[in-house]
């Protein structure tokens, strides 16, 4: 399980304190669950947290995720039509979501460098590919379609 480093924990406590808040055990559990699960919906995070703290409810998880996202500690991505998926902010990659089987693959953000440069040159738009999900058909499904 990947845990928060002492430096990150101190930074988080300082940031919360500056905003008149504190690091509660529930907030720590939610952040630890996001780190451990890597990609998880709020419901999955809640289930993980409830293994340690059964009284933590889904509302607390949603509020905590919202706060942690405002503090740039987690980010969310919509991988489909369901609930958003959360991961730690340092976890950067592009999600390739197969609309046929639902498989999600990860590729480096650098694969979109050409597109990013073109968008910037043509429109001035700065692409944040680390927060991106692309839908299409995965290789397995393409192969199955070709063998029909």
């Amino acid at each position: 399980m990947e845990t928060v480093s002492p430096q990150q924990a101190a930074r988080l406590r300082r940031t919360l304190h500056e905003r008149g808040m504190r690091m509660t055990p529930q907030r720590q559990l939610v952040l630890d669950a996001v780190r451990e699960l890597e990609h998880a919906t709020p419901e999955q995070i809640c289930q993980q947290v409830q293994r340690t703290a059964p009284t933590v409810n889904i509302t607390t998880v949603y509020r905590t995720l919202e706060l942690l996202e405002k503090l740039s500690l987690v980010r969310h991505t919509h991988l489909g039509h369901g609930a958003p998926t959360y991961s730690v902010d340092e976890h950067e990659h592009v999600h390739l979501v197969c609309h046929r089987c639902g498989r999600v693959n990860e590729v480096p953000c650098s694969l979109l460098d050409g597109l990013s440069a073109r968008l910037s040159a043509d429109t001035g738009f700065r692409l944040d590919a680390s927060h991106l999900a692309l839908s299409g058909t995965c290789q397995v499904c393409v192969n199955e379609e070709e063998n029909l």
Side-chain angles (χ1 to χ4, degrees), residues 32-148:
D32 289 345
V34 172
R35 288 185 176 282
E36 183 176 329
L37 297 170
E38 295 185 2
H39 296 99
T41 65
E43 291 76 17
Q44 292 167 325
I45 294 165
C46 188
Q47 289 172 355
Q48 181 74 10
V49 168
Q50 287 176 341
R51 290 180 182 158
T52 305
T55 59
V56 173
N57 62 38
I58 191 69
T59 303
T60 300
V61 170
Y62 271 105
R63 287 183 184 147
T64 302
L65 288 169
E66 185 178 312
L67 172 65
L68 294 174
E69 191 162 21
K70 284 180 184 175
L71 297 174
S72 298
L73 293 168
V74 303
R75 61 176 54 202
H76 77 274
T77 304
H78 292 275
L79 299 180
H81 299 292
T85 301
Y86 286 83
S87 61
V88 291
D89 191 54
E90 307 90 33
H91 194 70
E92 296 183 352
H93 52 261
V94 176
H95 297 95
L96 304 178
V97 183
C98 181
H99 56 78
R100 184 164 174 223
C101 71
R103 182 177 286 116
V104 178
N105 291 314
E106 300 172 1
V107 296
C109 296
S110 60
L111 287 179
L112 296 178
D113 286 350
L115 173 62
S116 181
R118 178 78 185 264
L119 285 170
S120 180
D122 291 357
T123 67
F125 185 81
R126 291 185 183 171
L127 178 66
D128 177 6
S130 65
H131 208 109
L132 187 63
L134 300 173
S135 65
T137 308
C138 72
Q139 185 65 53
V140 172
C141 290
V142 168
N143 291 343
E144 287 175 2
E145 288 173 3
E146 290 174 356
N147 291 329
L148 291 179

Side-chain angles (χ1 to χ4, degrees), residues 14-32:
R14 187 172 51 252
T15 301
L16 287 169
H17 181 72
E18 289 167 0
R19 295 179 183 210
M21 296 178 255
R22 62 187 176 89
M23 179 53 121
T24 64
Q26 294 87 350
R27 289 177 180 158
Q28 186 66 57
L29 287 168
V30 169
L31 182 57
D32 289 345

